[in-house]
Amino acid sequence: NGDTMPMNKMIGKTVSIFVEKNGDVALTKISINAASSPVTCDDGKWLDVDLCQECPVNHYCQNGDKNSCPSGSTSPVASTTLDSCSCGPSRVLSDGRCTLEPDLEGNDNL
């Protein structure tokens, strides 16, 4: 169907492909193992098809995966961990989301 998927997302999956040999076409199933993906990315980069790209703002990238920062938080380019995402004033990152600082909860003046 023309869809593409980064190699690191295919590891451990079985895929069907069409193979042509001497004019004959056959449907073949192959398994993708870790050895099939020669591209690995440093933290701060993500695997886009088969190229490492710098992690964009408001994301953090680990093991070739690009992850969005929680809603309401931001991060600089090339961030490597969830801790790189920071929330707005008077807010802290807790359990993967931005919440009011504990000593400010219930304060309606924010």
Side-chain angles (χ1 to χ4, degrees):
N1 64 10
D3 291 340
T4 61
M5 181 183 296
M7 283 298 289
N8 66 330
K9 301 288 187 191
M10 296 176 63
I11 294 172
K13 298 192 183 308
T14 300
V15 295
S16 298
I17 61 171
F18 288 99
V19 178
E20 180 184 356
K21 184 176 180 182
N22 299 328
D24 293 326
V25 177
L27 181 64
T28 303
K29 291 187 178 190
I30 60 170
S31 295
I32 308 296
N33 59 39
S36 298
S37 180
V39 179
T40 58
C41 299
D42 294 332
D43 286 345
K45 297 182 182 267
W46 65 286
L47 187 59
D48 181 11
V49 183
D50 61 355
L51 296 173
C52 293
Q53 303 287 339
E54 190 168 56
C55 197
V57 296
N58 303 331
H59 291 79
Y60 62 98
C61 299
Q62 294 176 316
N63 303 317
D65 292 326
K66 178 175 69 170
N67 305 286
S68 296
C69 285
S71 178
S73 67
T74 60
S75 71
V77 170
S79 294
T80 58
T81 65
L82 177 60
D83 291 337
S84 302
C85 303
S86 60
C87 301
S90 303
R91 299 195 177 273
V92 294
L93 191 60
S94 176
D95 296 325
R97 60 191 184 110
C98 291
T99 60
L100 280 175
E101 289 183 34
D103 58 333
L104 296 177
E105 287 183 12
N107 186 341
D108 293 332
N109 296 324
L110 297 177

